[in-house]
Amino acid sequence: MSDRLAEYRGRRDLDASGEPGGRARGARGGPRFVIQKHAASTLHYDLRLEVGGTLRSWAVPKGPSTDPRERRLAIQTEDHPLEYADFEGVIPEGHYGAGAVIVWDAGALENRSRHDGAEISLEDALERGHATVWLEGEKISGGYSLTRMRRSDSGDQWLLAKVDDERADARRNPVSTQQESVLSGRRVEDLEPGDR
Ligand code: MN
C-alpha cells in the first residue's frame, strides 16, 4: 500500500461514498490512463495517469482538447488508487466530491518524456514539471504534454496540451460531441444516487 494514497483516504469515508479503497490489485497489462467526467459542484474532467502503483490525478475544468493550440488548465489533485480507473457512480451529498462520475475515456498510456535529449521515466518527468505521454483512448489519442506552471497548496497548476501530431484535429470537440461513458454508455445526467 502506498503512502501516496494517505491523502486520498483521509478525505473520504469510503464505506459511505462507495469509492475504491486501493487495497486490491487485479491482473493488469501495461500502464493505463483514464479521464473521468465528474459532475461535482463544478463540472470537470479528472485526468489520471498510472505511475508507480497509483493514479496521478489532475482536475481539468474544460476537459482535454484535440487541438494543439488549445491548452487546458489542469489542477493536480491527490493520487487515486488504481481501481479508481473503473469507478462510476454517484458520490453522495455531504461527501468529498459529491456528484456523478463516469469513465469518459480510458486506454493504454505510454511515456514519451525526454530531458536533455534522453528518455526519462514518467515519474521523473512529472517531478521535473514537464511530461509527454502517448494516449490510446477511444476519444483521446496521440501525444499530450503536461507542464507545471505554478505550485500551490490547493493543487499545482499545470497546462495540458495536445502535441501537434497525426492524431491532432482542431475540428473535433469530443468533450461536447461524445459525452457518454466508454464503460456503460451512460452520461453523468443519467446517474442517480445509489447507482454504480
Ligand atoms: Mn473530480
Side-chain angles (χ1 to χ4, degrees):
M1 224 184 285
S2 169
D3 284 335
R4 293 194 60 97
L5 294 175
E7 183 179 350
Y8 172 87
R9 294 199 188 91
R11 286 177 182 272
R12 290 170 173 79
D13 176 351
L14 294 169
D15 288 335
S17 74
E19 297 169 290
R23 288 167 177 84
R25 290 193 67 173
R28 303 184 61 84
R32 312 277 297 170
F33 82 98
V34 64
I35 301 170
Q36 280 156 318
K37 184 174 182 179
H38 186 184
S41 53
T42 305
L43 179 75
H44 60 271
Y45 294 77
D46 289 298
L47 168 67
R48 310 191 196 280
L49 307 179
E50 181 177 346
V51 181
T54 61
L55 295 171
R56 301 291 175 96
S57 298
W58 293 261
V60 185
K62 291 184 172 178
S65 177
T66 56
D67 181 350
R69 293 168 302 184
E70 282 275 329
R71 295 182 301 170
R72 297 283 161 88
L73 175 65
I75 301 156
Q76 191 163 9
T77 59
E78 75 276 19
D79 285 18
H80 280 48
L82 295 183
E83 312 98 280
Y84 208 94
D86 298 321
F87 176 75
E88 291 194 343
V90 178
I91 301 169
E93 285 299 320
H95 290 268
Y96 179 68
V101 176
I102 61 166
V103 176
W104 182 76
D105 202 12
L109 159 70
E110 196 180 300
N111 176 40
R112 295 277 177 95
S113 303
R114 304 183 73 84
H115 180 72
D116 284 345
E119 294 176 13
I120 59 171
S121 71
L122 187 48
E123 194 155 19
D124 286 350
L126 292 170
E127 186 63 35
R128 288 176 173 279
H130 183 70
T132 305
V133 292
W134 184 272
L135 306 178
E136 285 287 352
E138 294 184 22
K139 301 166 183 170
I140 294 298
S141 71
Y144 278 82
S145 67
L146 273 163
T147 305
R148 187 169 51 225
M149 305 305 290
R150 185 178 306 143
R151 289 195 183 268
S152 166
D153 289 342
S154 54
D156 291 353
Q157 295 181 14
W158 298 65
L159 285 177
L160 173 68
K162 179 77 197 77
V163 173
D164 195 357
D165 56 26
E166 71 271 20
R167 304 283 179 89
D169 188 345
R171 295 161 303 181
R172 288 183 63 218
N173 188 7
V175 163
S176 60
T177 62
Q178 296 174 271
Q179 297 185 22
E180 297 81 8
S181 161
V182 293
L183 289 188
S184 66
R186 297 177 298 182
R187 300 179 178 214
V188 287
E189 295 84 356
D190 299 328
L191 271 66
E192 293 178 15
D195 280 355
R196 287 287 178 265

